[in-house]
Amino acid sequence: MLVRLLYASRPAEHSANSLVDDILKSCRENNPQHGITGVLCFSEQAFLQLIEGERVAINRVYGQIVQDKRHTDVSLLHYEEINERIFGSWTMGQVNLERINPSVILKYCPLPVLDPFAISGSAALALLKDLFASASIVGRA
């Protein structure tokens, strides 16, 4: 059974960008062997990550994320069973939201800055789909 999980968190350190390379490296090394795909969006204030894969693998990874000291305020935004993946060819894509046109973020958020804690899970998922459709996701591995 495939599932999709979307969560938000805040970086534990002052600079999320300093953590992103480590997180992406770990995802890209570990995800293929577990059949996990997805995308990580980040800004200095927040992470928004979507992961897709087999239910047991996704639940295990999410449990590890909740315990990961690089994250604080981990919040589950969306979880669903799926028939197909959105990000099936991405071991872990990436989006630096500080480089995205603020009007894209403003379409889904109250302010032109990503605050995944201020929007619904469905709005966060729609934002990711919009970023995917506009080719704003980079770093495919």
Side-chain angles (χ1 to χ4, degrees), residues 2 33-34 37 44 47 67 71 79 87 95 108 126 130 136 139:
L2 289 175
Q33 63 190 344
H34 300 290
T37 58
E44 284 291 323
F47 292 120
Q67 298 299 317
H71 300 269
Y79 186 94
F87 300 101
V95 178
Y108 302 99
D130 202 4
S136 297

Side-chain angles (χ1 to χ4, degrees), residues 30-82:
N30 297 315
N31 286 358
Q33 63 190 344
H34 300 290
I36 296 172
T37 58
V39 63
L40 172 67
C41 299
F42 59 93
S43 69
E44 284 291 323
Q45 296 81 30
F47 292 120
L48 177 64
Q49 187 172 32
L50 181 142
I51 53 177
E52 299 169 318
E54 196 273 325
R55 180 185 328 199
V56 172
I58 295 299
N59 291 348
R60 181 182 38 75
V61 167
Y62 183 66
Q64 292 169 343
I65 290 166
V66 169
Q67 298 299 317
D68 190 331
K69 299 300 182 199
R70 297 175 291 189
H71 300 269
T72 63
D73 302 327
V74 178
S75 179
L76 181 64
L77 301 178
H78 183 83
Y79 186 94
E80 68 178 326
E81 294 178 350
I82 58 174

Side-chain angles (χ1 to χ4, degrees), residues 86-119:
I86 298 172
F87 300 101
S89 61
W90 299 77
T91 57
M92 191 52 58
Q94 70 186 69
V95 178
N96 182 340
L97 291 166
E98 293 171 348
R99 295 185 179 174
I100 298 298
N101 184 329
S103 65
V104 174
I105 296 171
L106 193 56
K107 184 175 175 181
Y108 302 99
C109 299
L111 299 171
V113 175
L114 176 67
D115 181 0
F117 299 94
I119 61 175

